[in-house]
């Protein structure tokens, strides 16, 4: 059994964990948690899809109006003649097959991966490593393009990627707890709108079954979908 700290227990006692809240109220609840570090705020969806079927996969990307509040390490896969352009745009690592070998050997010190179309065949060798971690480049996610510089700049500015997991859940960072309420609201609504737009045509019934907001060291607050506008 996990033993929670006094601050965590006090926050749980300050609201009804079984109730649903409007977006502003949920943000205000989380902001009661003041720690020595700036916590990441995350949005968690449970969707009415079956990820076992390829036509019900939910995957996409969205540019957060106010960024994520954190620095991300970007790995760019490209031919030698594009490495300099990728690093100039902000890529932390850039290269080709030699980086595939590093990943095969266990290297995963990066947060996002982008690639030019001609490198996808090479990346296939580590798809089973990158895929389950949500790091495999994909045209649908906007991380495969001949114009790597543009993708890299967007990611550095706060563009995030999301993908439904085996449990039909989507997890997305939406900023830092130090952000203003308006900044978090705009970021959160951008993610919700993007996930809605990516609803598979084959998904029947309720699409967003459950939606919660949480921070790194806080309990979850359930959101009322009717009030997240």
């Amino acid at each position: 059994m996990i033993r929670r700290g006094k601050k965590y227990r006090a926050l749980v006692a300050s609201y009804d964990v079984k109730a649903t809240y409007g977006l502003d109220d949920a943000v205000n609840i989380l902001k009661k948690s003041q720690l020595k570090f700036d916590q990441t705020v995350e949005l968690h969806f449970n969707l009415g899809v079956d990820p076992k079927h390829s036509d019900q996969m939910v995957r996409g990307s969205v540019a957060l109006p106010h960024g994520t509040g954190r620095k991300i390490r970007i790995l760019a896969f490209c031919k030698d003649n594009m490495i300099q352009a990728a690093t100039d745009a902000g890529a932390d690592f850039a290269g080709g097959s030699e980086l595939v070998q590093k990943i095969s050997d266990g290297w995963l010190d990066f947060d996002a991966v982008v690639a030019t179309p001609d490198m996808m065949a090479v990346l296939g060798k580590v798809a089973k490593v990158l895929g389950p971690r949500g790091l495999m480049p994909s045209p649908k996610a906007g991380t495969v393009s001949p114009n790597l510089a543009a993708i890299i700049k967007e990611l550095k500015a706060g563009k995030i990627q999301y993908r439904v997991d085996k449990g039909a859940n989507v997890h997305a960072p939406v900023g830092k707890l130090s952000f203003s309420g308006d900044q978090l609201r705009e970021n959160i609504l951008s993610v919700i709108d993007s996930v809605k737009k990516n609803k598979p045509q084959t998904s029947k019934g309720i699409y967003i079954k459950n939606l919660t907001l949480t921070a790194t060291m806080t309990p979850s607050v359930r959101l009322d979908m009717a009030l997240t506008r």
Side-chain angles (χ1 to χ4, degrees), residues 19 36 61-63 85 96-97 134:
K36 293 182 178 179
S61 61
V62 57
S97 57

Side-chain angles (χ1 to χ4, degrees), residues 140-185:
K140 187 174 182 180
T143 49
V144 176
S145 170
N147 187 357
L148 279 189
I151 300 176
I152 293 166
K153 289 177 181 177
E154 287 179 346
L155 290 173
K156 287 288 186 178
K159 187 175 184 179
I160 64 164
Q161 303 168 53
Y162 57 82
R163 179 180 180 179
V164 69
D165 64 19
K166 293 180 180 179
N169 303 302
V170 167
H171 311 286
V174 292
K176 294 289 186 177
L177 207 52
S178 61
F179 282 19
S180 70
D182 286 343
Q183 287 176 322
L184 285 172
R185 162 180 274 277

Side-chain angles (χ1 to χ4, degrees), residues 35-223:
L35 300 177
K36 293 182 178 179
F37 69 97
D38 196 5
Q39 301 176 66
T40 296
V41 180
E42 294 184 345
L43 195 59
H44 300 278
F45 299 77
N46 180 246
L47 303 178
V49 299
D50 186 351
K52 293 179 182 178
H53 299 288
S54 60
D55 61 357
Q56 292 199 35
M57 287 295 293
V58 178
R59 183 174 185 176
S61 61
V62 57
L64 300 182
H66 303 285
T68 62
R70 71 185 184 97
K71 294 181 179 180
I72 64 167
R73 299 163 298 174
I74 298 176
L75 169 59
F77 279 95
C78 56
K79 295 291 179 65
D80 290 348
N81 63 329
M82 294 187 66
I83 289 177
Q84 188 61 53
T87 54
D88 288 346
D92 299 272
F93 314 99
S97 57
E98 73 281 3
L99 296 179
V100 170
Q101 186 58 51
K102 283 188 67 175
I103 293 171
S104 297
D105 292 339
W107 177 62
L108 289 168
D109 295 332
F110 44 85
D111 307 298
V113 183
V114 300
T116 51
D118 56 5
M119 295 300 293
M120 293 305 291
V122 176
L123 272 172
K125 298 177 182 178
V126 287
K128 291 183 178 180
V129 177
L130 299 178
R133 294 172 171 80
L135 294 171
M136 187 65 184
S138 157
K140 187 174 182 180
T143 49
V144 176
S145 170
N147 187 357
L148 279 189
I151 300 176
I152 293 166
K153 289 177 181 177
E154 287 179 346
L155 290 173
K156 287 288 186 178
K159 187 175 184 179
I160 64 164
Q161 303 168 53
Y162 57 82
R163 179 180 180 179
V164 69
D165 64 19
K166 293 180 180 179
N169 303 302
V170 167
H171 311 286
V174 292
K176 294 289 186 177
L177 207 52
S178 61
F179 282 19
S180 70
D182 286 343
Q183 287 176 322
L184 285 172
R185 162 180 274 277
E186 291 178 19
N187 278 0
I188 291 167
L189 290 177
S190 294
V191 176
I192 292 174
D193 287 344
S194 179
V195 172
K196 284 181 177 179
K197 289 176 182 177
N198 278 310
K199 177 183 178 180
Q201 293 183 350
T202 54
S203 174
K204 305 299 180 183
I206 299 174
Y207 178 49
I208 300 179
K209 299 170 66 176
N210 192 27
L211 184 61
T212 59
L213 190 67
T214 186
T216 308
M217 299 293 288
T218 73
S220 297
V221 181
R222 297 178 62 198
L223 295 177

